[in-house]
């Protein structure tokens, strides 16, 4: 007695359970018949992403970097890969497999502008540089997120003191010589980027009285 063949949808497996955005993963169909072909697509944050059609034993898919725009506040997520099985033109069924995806460590916010200037009116014009015990430095910072992230924090460190904000004015500078202003931004994924500007501070100390003497003069006589 010959039994009727019952077609069964292919059960997909992945070459890796976790990959970075921008990396590739192989989807193995594990088909039960050489007559089977497969159409594949992925569902990610409510959006359908086409992988391709008419695959036989496997497909290699590169996860689009643009998918990171859907997770501006996270460093990882997952997508469901759908494998539709066909025998000739007849649809057999669909099975799925889940792929975990992570944001590469290279995806960080960017600093576009970092400036510094004398904040004490007239001081730089008269002396031509930052001056110890006299200067205050105004520093500004402009940054941008990457693939959907937004900037959530700004920090600027001047003369060893850290100030929060993208436009800050330091206290009076107490050091002299070579110094570094450090700029830091943090995005909504918790990723950071830093930049620096090197400056020179002229040594200066306010004049002070170290000793004095007093004499009394009466007429032509000094005592």
């Amino acid at each position: 007695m010959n039994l009727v063949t019952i077609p069964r949808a292919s059960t997909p497996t992945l070459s890796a359970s976790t990959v970075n955005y921008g990396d590739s993963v192989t989807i193995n169909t594990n088909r039960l018949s050489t007559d089977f072909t497969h159409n594949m697509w992925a569902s990610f944050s409510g959006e359908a992403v086409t992988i391709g059609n008419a695959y036989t034993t496997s497909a290699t898919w590169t996860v689009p970097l643009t998918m990171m725009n859907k997770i501006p506040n996270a460093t990882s997520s997952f997508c469901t890969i759908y494998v539709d099985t066909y025998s000739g033109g007849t649809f057999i069924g669909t099975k799925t497999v889940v792929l975990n995806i992570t944001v590469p460590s290279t995806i960080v916010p960017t600093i576009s502008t970092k400036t510094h200037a004398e904040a004490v009116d007239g001081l730089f014009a008269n002396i031509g540089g930052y001056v110890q015990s006299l200067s205050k430095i105004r520093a500004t910072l402009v940054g941008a997120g990457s693939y959907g992230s937004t900037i959530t924090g700004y920090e600027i460190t001047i003369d060893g003191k850290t100030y929060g904000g993208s436009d800050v004015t330091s206290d009076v500078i107490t050091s002299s010589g070579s110094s570094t202003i450090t700029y830091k931004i943090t995005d909504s994924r918790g990723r950071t980027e830093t930049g620096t500007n090197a400056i020179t501070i002229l040594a200066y100390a306010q004049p002070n009285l170290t000793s004095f003497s007093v004499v009394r003069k009466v007429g032509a006589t000094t005592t």
Side-chain angles (χ1 to χ4, degrees), residues 126-138:
N126 290 329
I127 300 178
Y130 298 121
V131 183
Q132 181 183 16
S133 302
L134 295 178
S135 287
K136 294 182 178 182
I137 297 177
R138 179 186 177 187

Side-chain angles (χ1 to χ4, degrees), residues 92-109:
I92 303 300
T94 300
K95 291 193 176 182
T96 63
V97 65
V98 173
L99 174 66
N100 297 305
I101 321 171
T102 57
V103 177
S105 59
T106 54
I107 303 300
V108 296

Side-chain angles (χ1 to χ4, degrees), residues 29 34-35 41 58 71 86 141-142 144 177 186 198:
T29 63
T34 56
D35 294 331
W41 57 282
S58 66
I71 55 165
Y86 291 85
L141 171 61
V142 178
T186 303

